[in-house]
Amino acid sequence: MPAPSAAARYAVFGQPIAHSLSPRIHAAFGARLGIAIDYRAIEAGAGEFPARLAAFARDGGRGANVTLPLKQDALALCAALSDRARRAGSVNTLIRAGESWHGDSTDGAGLLRDLRDRHGFEPRDRRVLLLGAGGAARAAAFAFADAGARELVIANRTHARAAGLAQAIGAVASATALDALEALGRFDLVVNASAAGHAGASTALPRTLLDAHTLCYDLSYGKAAQPFLDAAREAGARRVSDGLGMLVEQAAESFAAWHGERPDTEPVHAALREG
């Protein structure tokens, strides 16, 4: 795929969006690879999103990322979907194809790459607890199943939503209520995929879920991840991480879909960690 012209535009849509690191990440990728990038953050709630995405396309938009709360809304606006987006039921990457959008989900691939490369965690034959059942959680759940997790337990405030996701995944997955966590035993990985941290809230983690080797990981980053990371430490976790690495890796997957080349992520990740 040829490099885009200087006029080609890219963006991230969400609400709130001012905090997003995506423009900085894609600018850094472009600078490293010599590709001119016009990548902006566009504020849009669910009601405004279709019109703002259409206006973006008319203005030359060639690709976009989608974050909270629009990942499932984005799926409905796509004329075609990748297999992983269809299975996850959410889209975080939009690719302009003619007069329509092609939707993909790079969250799962980004999460697995960060877990493996930065945390030395291989999901195969491991026991995983996933908190949440929304768009990002669905992408993570299918990624863990595809990676060979031995058991995937999904806990969500609305049990029916967790049960629906577990049923879609198959025998490796089961659903439970948030107030039943204490009886589940130890997990190798606990992943917070809920949006509670964005409101400053977090689910309490029973100590029975963890030991010294358990990795506790929040898909969010920065302030939104802090409540869960604090709760994990309070429960005795020694290994905790936010999702900054996942953010960078899923962005690299999107970048490759748009520009035909996957950037080296480590220098960009290190720069973001340094602030």
Side-chain angles (χ1 to χ4, degrees), residues 29-243:
F29 288 162
R32 295 188 65 82
L33 293 175
I35 298 173
I37 301 294
D38 180 355
Y39 187 111
R40 305 176 186 183
I42 299 176
E43 184 89 11
E48 307 114 335
F49 179 49
R52 292 189 180 175
L53 182 64
F56 172 70
R58 289 194 299 271
D59 290 343
R62 303 307 304 161
N65 289 125
V66 182
T67 187
L68 289 172
L70 304 174
K71 293 183 180 183
Q72 288 167 306
D73 297 87
L75 182 141
L77 299 175
C78 293
L81 297 170
S82 68
D83 180 63
R84 57 190 181 184
R86 185 178 297 105
R87 293 171 70 207
S90 69
V91 162
N92 81 322
T93 301
L94 293 166
I95 305 157
R96 194 68 175 165
E99 296 301 311
S100 62
W101 291 107
H102 174 87
D104 194 9
S105 175
T106 66
D107 283 331
L111 172 60
L112 292 179
R113 187 180 283 262
D114 187 46
L115 288 172
R116 287 165 171 157
D117 292 356
R118 295 192 179 89
H119 302 283
F121 185 90
E122 172 53 56
R124 180 168 296 281
D125 295 326
R126 300 295 191 94
R127 195 164 186 252
V128 180
L129 173 62
L130 180 64
L131 305 176
R138 291 183 64 88
F142 280 102
F144 287 133
D146 290 346
R150 173 168 54 89
E151 182 181 3
L152 175 64
V153 179
I154 303 164
N156 190 58
R157 182 173 55 84
T158 305
H159 185 267
R161 196 170 188 182
L165 176 54
Q167 184 176 19
I169 291 171
V172 71
S174 62
T176 190
L178 287 173
D179 59 7
L181 294 178
E182 190 170 4
L184 296 179
R186 189 197 74 84
F187 288 86
D188 299 296
L189 175 67
V190 178
V191 175
N192 181 41
S194 76
H198 290 270
S202 180
T203 299
L205 296 178
R207 288 181 174 268
T208 53
L209 297 177
L210 316 175
D211 67 13
H213 303 290
T214 302
L215 172 61
C216 293
Y217 189 103
D218 197 303
L219 299 192
S220 298
Y221 60 92
K223 288 179 63 177
Q226 203 58 51
F228 173 77
L229 301 184
D230 290 343
R233 292 188 180 98
E234 179 66 23
R238 299 181 187 178
R239 302 177 65 200
V240 300
S241 177
D242 68 7

